Amino acid sequence: MVEAVLIDLFSLPASLQSNIQGELCKKLETVEKCSSIPAPFVYVMCCQQQGCERNDEQEFLLPALRDFQSLKKRLEVVHALTTAAALYTIKQSLDEKDLSTIKVILPALRKDLMKVYIDHLFTPVYKFEFEDLQVAADCKNLQIAEPQSEEQTLSTQAMALIQSEIQMYLESLPSLKGELTILRSPLIPDDIFLHGFTTRTGGISYIPTLSSCNLFSSSKRRDPQIVVKENLRRLAKAAGFNPETFHRVKTDHANAVCVLGKTEPESYDGIVTNQKGVTIAAPGADCIPVLFADPVRKACGAAHSGWKGTLLGVSMATVNAMVSEYGCNVKDILVVLGPSVGPCCYKLPQESAEEFHRIDPKCVRLFDSASPYIDIRRATRILLESGGILPENIQDDSVTDQKQNITFCTACHPDKFYSHFRDGTNFGTQIGFISIKD
Ligand SMILES: *[C@@H]1O[C@H](CO)[C@@H](O)[C@H](O)[C@H]1NC(C)=O
Ligand SMILES: [Zn+2]
């Protein structure tokens, strides 16, 4: 069922616009007939040319819309200088209304081009269907970069141009919800390592649960990869690392570790490196982003440790990879546990609680209740200490620092952190990152 209609008149010269009135009328009639009540929202995408009066297109549209009172009320004409800007503005309006099924009515020649824009700016959460708008005989006048026949796809060069148009537009957007803020641990020496944990401010993601510095794109959520890439670019600029040499773990809630430069496992929750200038990272949105640094052998690591990964020992697996790959002494390795859901908020069912209770009874509170409170940080510390990491070389919430606390509860601080537990399925993600300085 179509929830919104997007009429793409972006490439249509003003001289042609009167030609399509009749055609547009027919389309709107079908839309109105086929849609359930209430009527879908209608967006008209127009090019904002210099010197062009804002009302021009709206006026030309009026005759076509006169007979469609229900549609008219829900009509929005979007003028922009680029297709990227127009489409992003429409996406914001769709997201605000939580709409995801969209019919695009457009000149046939624009279809391939629009599909590329849509692939970049939307995710599989949205469903698009396309319908041709017949633009009569004059269609040769259409200002389209590269006219294509049905079978052809756009050239690599045209695709790259579209991508860079979108990137430039996203770069121009203001940061939301304040400055980009990075938490740094005093435990990790900053003459050797560059590291940090992100908070949720200073990016461009605008959907409430993703706003604003979301650093993970999922096919199940509304932030496309290109927006996450722009957030990462802003983070990299603020932190001083190169976003082109950035490696994030491919999470699976297990304990595989990737040694950077060796064969990459299909999925892994730990990553280690001794290469300079390469930034490695682990996400978290309640799960703990854990960072590892050995200032003696100059090696580092990152791990993503949720309740499953914690029980599977992903942190010690990462330590073991540093020891076996780079000859690190376990006593030299520093470990910092980033923002994560705290024992104040986190509950699990009895059977999982039992496994934490076996690690240490202190990892579980209200053990006899149906869903006891779990301390995944304490479990992580206990497993690290029994693996030989020195207690004073671990920073978590049991360590209070006068300069900077790191291990905040993500669920308790909605202004600073994302939390899956708190925000549900459309949650955003923060990361912990580390690299060895040149
Ligand atoms: C860190 O936490 C402790 C205990 O809550 C507090 O006393 C201290 O002021 C905090 N440090 C900072 C910089 O907020
Ligand atoms: Zn909490």
Side-chain angles (χ1 to χ4, degrees), residues 341-346 409-412:
V341 69
C344 40
C345 295
Y346 195 47
C409 174
T410 42
C412 287

Side-chain angles (χ1 to χ4, degrees), residues 1-5 31-42 69-71 73-74 97 99:
M1 194 201 309
V2 172
E3 297 170 323
V5 177
V31 164
E32 197 173 47
K33 258 192 223 134
C34 299
S35 75
S36 63
I37 290 173
F41 291 86
V42 179
Q69 288 306 321
S70 58
L71 291 183
K73 268 182 255 148
R74 292 166 163 241
K97 302 181 178 81
L99 307 177

Side-chain angles (χ1 to χ4, degrees), residues 377-398:
R377 303 160 175 172
R378 183 190 282 262
T380 299
R381 173 181 276 274
I382 288 168
L383 293 173
L384 285 167
E385 287 181 10
S386 57
I389 300 286
L390 299 177
E392 65 271 27
N393 283 352
I394 302 171
Q395 178 167 7
D396 59 11
D397 57 338
S398 69

Side-chain angles (χ1 to χ4, degrees), residues 400-405:
T400 53
D401 193 284
Q402 288 322 304
K403 277 180 270 165
Q404 178 69 76
N405 293 316

Side-chain angles (χ1 to χ4, degrees), residues 246-433:
F246 175 84
H247 293 263
R248 183 193 337 242
V249 298
K250 298 191 173 154
T251 60
D252 184 35
H253 295 272
N255 61 1
V257 179
C258 170
V259 177
L260 205 66
K262 293 199 171 175
T263 312
E264 187 185 24
E266 204 171 300
S267 64
Y268 47 95
D269 290 80
I271 185 167
V272 296
T273 191
N274 65 351
Q275 294 174 35
K276 288 179 177 171
V278 178
T279 302
I280 53 177
D286 290 337
C287 296
I288 322 171
V290 190
L291 297 181
F292 306 80
D294 177 354
V296 179
R297 301 297 300 202
K298 293 195 173 52
C300 60
H304 161 256
S305 186
W307 73 266
K308 285 184 195 157
T310 301
L311 289 175
L312 290 169
V314 67
S315 285
M316 267 318 291
T318 309
V319 167
N320 290 337
M322 289 173 72
V323 171
S324 62
E325 292 296 322
Y326 311 124
C328 298
N329 184 330
V330 81
K331 302 220 159 5
D332 296 326
I333 297 177
L334 312 166
V335 186
V336 181
L337 279 61
S340 46
V341 69
C344 40
C345 295
Y346 195 47
K347 292 177 178 181
L348 280 177
Q350 263 289 331
E351 53 283 19
S352 316
E354 265 167 40
E355 294 186 66
F356 281 92
H357 197 265
R358 238 174 276 139
I359 293 175
D360 187 320
K362 283 187 181 150
C363 294
V364 185
R365 187 161 53 90
L366 304 181
F367 187 44
D368 294 326
S369 71
S371 44
Y373 287 89
I374 307 296
D375 191 341
I376 52 173
R377 303 160 175 172
R378 183 190 282 262
T380 299
R381 173 181 276 274
I382 288 168
L383 293 173
L384 285 167
E385 287 181 10
S386 57
I389 300 286
L390 299 177
E392 65 271 27
N393 283 352
I394 302 171
Q395 178 167 7
D396 59 11
D397 57 338
S398 69
V399 180
T400 53
D401 193 284
Q402 288 322 304
K403 277 180 270 165
Q404 178 69 76
N405 293 316
I406 295 293
T407 323
F408 292 98
C409 174
T410 42
C412 287
H413 295 90
D415 54 326
K416 285 197 187 72
F417 305 108
Y418 298 110
S419 167
H420 178 20
F421 184 74
R422 184 192 62 222
D423 298 336
T425 39
N426 211 20
F427 64 98
T429 303
Q430 51 255 339
I431 62 166
F433 60 91

